[in-house]
Amino acid sequence: MEENERVSRVQLMKLLVACLYFAQSYRSGLRIRVNTLDVALKTARKRGAFPPWGKKNLHFANGRLRTVCIELEELLNLAFDCGCIEYDPPFCFMRIATGPRVALQFLREIGVGKKKARRWGRFIREALEELEKEQREIQS
């Protein structure tokens, strides 16, 4: 995929779902708090996650309480509508509902290698775990 190519929301959703699938595969059944996913995505991007077109099309802003990924809600809703995730907006949790075949198909469709997506998923998972640890420390 060309760097200057306009990327559709569907392509971004496929990238996100595939990376989250690999993030989950390190810890089966990973239930993700959506309000930490924004920060985890930004942290992963800083570590080198995502192809240039993915980095270019994910935007972050400082909200009142936390960092917000501008596209995240739309991407999660699209992934939910496609049956790729279980998403509970009132409780702000999501879980990947797709398997390896779909994740790998998504990667083929967007031209991203499995090894890269696995590494990027690890970056997201590590950022989520660090945020979870910080939350526990604050609560105790």
Side-chain angles (χ1 to χ4, degrees):
M1 192 169 297
E2 296 280 324
E3 283 186 45
N4 59 0
E5 186 177 330
R6 183 170 165 79
V7 176
S8 74
R9 292 289 187 243
V10 173
Q11 290 166 310
L12 275 175
M13 181 272 298
K14 289 177 180 180
L15 177 64
L16 180 64
V17 167
C19 289
L20 289 174
Y21 168 77
F22 288 114
Q24 172 186 273
S25 69
Y26 289 97
R27 193 168 128 197
S28 186
L30 180 64
R31 195 173 109 180
I32 300 169
R33 187 181 302 273
V34 174
N35 65 356
T36 61
L37 186 54
D38 298 275
V39 177
L41 290 175
K42 186 174 183 181
T43 301
R45 187 176 81 168
K46 283 181 184 176
R47 288 185 64 189
F50 314 126
W53 57 265
K55 290 177 187 176
K56 182 178 168 184
N57 287 283
L58 286 174
H59 303 92
F60 299 89
N62 291 324
R64 280 188 3 222
L65 302 174
R66 60 184 171 82
T67 297
V68 177
C69 176
I70 307 299
E71 297 80 12
L72 186 58
E73 185 176 350
E74 182 182 357
L75 295 174
L76 291 176
N77 285 325
L78 183 57
F80 176 76
D81 290 344
C82 293
C84 297
I85 66 169
E86 297 169 2
Y87 179 41
D88 190 359
F91 295 102
C92 300
F93 283 101
M94 58 91 42
R95 181 187 329 252
I96 294 296
T98 192
R101 294 180 83 189
V102 172
L104 293 173
Q105 179 62 36
F106 281 175
L107 292 175
R108 279 191 293 278
E109 290 172 6
I110 62 174
V112 171
K114 179 181 174 182
K115 187 176 180 179
K116 287 182 179 181
R118 185 179 297 277
R119 187 176 75 236
W120 300 338
R122 189 182 77 241
F123 291 167
I124 294 169
R125 180 188 44 82
E126 288 170 353
L128 287 168
E129 288 173 349
E130 184 63 32
L131 290 164
E132 223 175 76
K133 182 181 171 186
E134 289 173 13
Q135 288 267 351
R136 282 192 304 265
E137 289 173 359
I138 290 170
Q139 291 174 351
S140 56

